[in-house]
Structures are given as C-alpha cells and as structure tokens.
Amino acid sequence: EIYTLSLHDALPIYATISSALKDYSQILVRELVTARHDGYLIYAGGDDALAAVNLDDLLDLMTKLRGAFSGHIDGSLEKVDFAAEVSGFVQRDDRFLMTMGPLASASMGVCISHYKTPLSMVLEAVREAEEKAKSLPGKNAFSITVLKGSGERMETTWKWFYRDGVEVLRKGGTAAMLKELVDVLKGAESRSGEGFSDRFVYKFKETFQRFNPEEKIPHLDEMIAAETRRLLKRSFASKGNDRARRDALVEDWTASLKSLYLNAGSLGNFISLLETAAFIAREP
C-alpha cells in the first residue's frame, strides 16, 4: 500500500507546532526568566531564546526551561519531573498551554562569566557551548562554559537526564542534580548548615590526574566510588556531631556521583562538572 500526505493534511500539524512554540517562547520562557528568576530576556522566538540571569538562579532556570519545552513541569512552574508521564500541556490558572510534548528534546549552551567580560566573548562562548551540546549523539543536552578572570576556561557537556533501566536518574535531571551538589558544597561554609568542603573536588582531581581525561576508563567506577566515599567523609562539615547523618549523606552522594561518572562520557568531563559545581558554590 502507498500512503500519501497532502499539504491540507499537514496543516493541522504545522499549526499545532506553531501554537506550542508560541506558548513556550512568549509565555513560559518570559515568565520563567523575568518573573520567576529576575533575569533579562534578550530574545525569545520559536524554540530559540537568549537570556542573562544571576548565577544563583542559573541551574534552576535551566531545568525549568527544558522541562517547560516538553511539558515536564507542573502548573506552578516550580517542579520538573522528567520521569513523569505528561500530556504535553501545562495548566496555568484557567488555561492550558501547549508544549512540544514528552518526546521533544532541546539543546542549550550556557556561559558563566564576570559581568565585565566583553559581551562578544560571552556570546561566542554561548554559541560554542550550544554546538557542543548539539554534538552529543541524540542531542537533548546542555553544555556549560566557565570563563574565569584568570583566562582559564572550563567546559562540561551532559544530557538533560539519563535512565537507569526505566527510571530517570534524579527526577529533575542532571542540571538539578548539579544544583543539589552546589547547595551541599555551599552548606559546608554556612553557619548553620552542613555539607562537603570543596576541597573534596580538588583532592579528587589530584588523585585521578594521572589518568587520560579524554577516556572513559573501564572498571574505574568502583575505584571512583571508593575514593569519593573516602574524600567526602574527610570533607564533611557540620555544626552537629551526628555520625549517622554524615554517613547517610556520604553514601547518597557516593552513589549519585558514581551514576554521573557512568554517564559522563569521559573522566575529564566528570571532573569538569565537579569543578563547575565548586566554582558556582564559591561565588557570592
């Protein structure tokens, strides 16, 4: 049998896509960037957007923008769950906004820099980061470039989420997991919190610097888990002396970081993610 699709048949599909992209760029992106995260929206049209945002809001905003694109965000625009079965619509008050649907994917490039960095340099880094995200097989990825004042440059590229069997690792995905790591590193420096000193990151890098950063070393995951556990215990900081609480946090993050390494693509990309988290946590 031969099936044909006339232009008349295709028009509803084009209209649906156009409506979804309009709701995303003109309503969801604008509200998330400007109203929820006090950012500056430079451009939003179709599936393209360019915005500037405070570093404290960056990772939350990244996760929400990606969740809103496919409909994996709730009506309050606060909770993202990539493991949820969603309809492709987001209910806002008394109306339903159309999204691109649960099978849609998106790529994002991010540049973190000092506000005095020349804008042309920042925009070039953003474009390069977006291309890195799009270079991953299957895409659905983000790439973060950090431009340090010293001239040093860090880059890390990841899928928005990974699946362990049928479950998405951490419902909010990789960027949300990175935000949790930033928070736990910040906790060690707060007066009333608890967390891990960023010395953990630099000691970890020092331990594995003898390996080729461009390779995904076979069977290194158990070694990484063992060294992660040891370094996390040594870097734990808390105003209390609850050893059970410490051990629980150490085991949780040992498992989480091991899962990230298994999906990192290379040892260097994994270490760059840790360094990016430490950099964000240190910034005021």
Side-chain angles (χ1 to χ4, degrees), residues 215-231:
E215 292 184 8
K216 179 68 175 296
I217 313 296
H219 312 301
L220 194 61
D221 53 312
E222 290 304 327
M223 186 189 303
I224 280 180
E227 184 65 2
T228 296
R229 183 179 292 106
R230 184 183 75 85
L231 292 175

Side-chain angles (χ1 to χ4, degrees), residues 40 87 114 139 209 282:
Y40 184 79
S87 65
H114 191 272
K139 304 176 186 179
Q209 63 183 355
R282 281 199 314 273

Side-chain angles (χ1 to χ4, degrees), residues 110-112 125 129 132 143-148 151-157 201-202 205 268-269 271-280 282:
V110 175
C111 176
I112 299 173
K132 285 184 179 296
S143 185
I144 300 176
T145 295
V146 178
L147 301 179
K148 293 186 176 181
E152 184 184 355
R153 182 181 180 126
M154 291 191 306
E155 299 173 350
T156 188
T157 305
V201 174
Y202 304 110
K205 182 179 181 180
N269 192 46
I271 292 176
S272 291
L273 182 80
L274 298 182
E275 290 186 292
T276 299
F279 178 87
I280 296 174
R282 281 199 314 273

Side-chain angles (χ1 to χ4, degrees), residues 143-211:
S143 185
I144 300 176
T145 295
V146 178
L147 301 179
K148 293 186 176 181
S150 62
E152 184 184 355
R153 182 181 180 126
M154 291 191 306
E155 299 173 350
T156 188
T157 305
W158 296 79
K159 294 280 190 179
W160 285 105
F161 52 85
Y162 300 90
R163 296 185 182 276
D164 181 6
V166 296
E167 295 298 322
V168 175
L169 296 177
R170 298 284 177 117
K171 293 180 178 180
T174 313
M177 200 168 174
L178 178 56
K179 175 63 165 59
E180 291 180 33
L181 180 57
V182 169
D183 289 342
V184 82
L185 291 175
K186 281 184 175 181
E189 304 299 325
S190 65
R191 292 186 176 183
S192 57
E194 63 181 13
F196 304 108
S197 165
D198 62 7
R199 291 194 305 273
F200 150 72
V201 174
Y202 304 110
K203 289 293 184 182
F204 184 95
K205 182 179 181 180
E206 182 180 311
T207 300
F208 290 96
Q209 63 183 355
R210 70 194 68 182
F211 294 96

Side-chain angles (χ1 to χ4, degrees), residues 79-153:
K79 296 179 180 179
V80 174
D81 184 355
F82 291 116
E85 294 185 9
V86 296
S87 65
F89 293 88
V90 174
Q91 184 175 1
R92 295 287 292 141
D93 301 322
D94 58 346
R95 64 176 297 191
F96 286 89
L97 302 178
M98 188 179 296
T99 73
M100 290 296 291
L103 299 182
S105 66
S107 299
M108 182 183 295
V110 175
C111 176
I112 299 173
S113 70
H114 191 272
Y115 74 96
K116 290 186 177 180
T117 304
L119 181 58
S120 59
M121 186 181 298
V122 175
L123 291 175
E124 181 181 2
V126 167
R127 285 191 288 269
E128 290 175 352
E130 183 183 13
E131 288 305 312
K132 285 184 179 296
K134 289 181 177 180
S135 71
L136 282 189
K139 304 176 186 179
N140 193 37
F142 66 88
S143 185
I144 300 176
T145 295
V146 178
L147 301 179
K148 293 186 176 181
S150 62
E152 184 184 355
R153 182 181 180 126

Side-chain angles (χ1 to χ4, degrees), residues 63-81:
T63 301
K64 291 174 184 177
L65 287 173
R66 172 60 185 85
F69 189 73
S70 58
H72 289 93
I73 193 168
D74 70 344
S76 70
L77 302 187
E78 289 297 327
K79 296 179 180 179
V80 174
D81 184 355

Side-chain angles (χ1 to χ4, degrees), residues 4 10 18 26 29 40 50 84 113 278:
T4 60
S18 177
Q26 300 303 309
V29 171
Y40 184 79
L50 178 64
S113 70

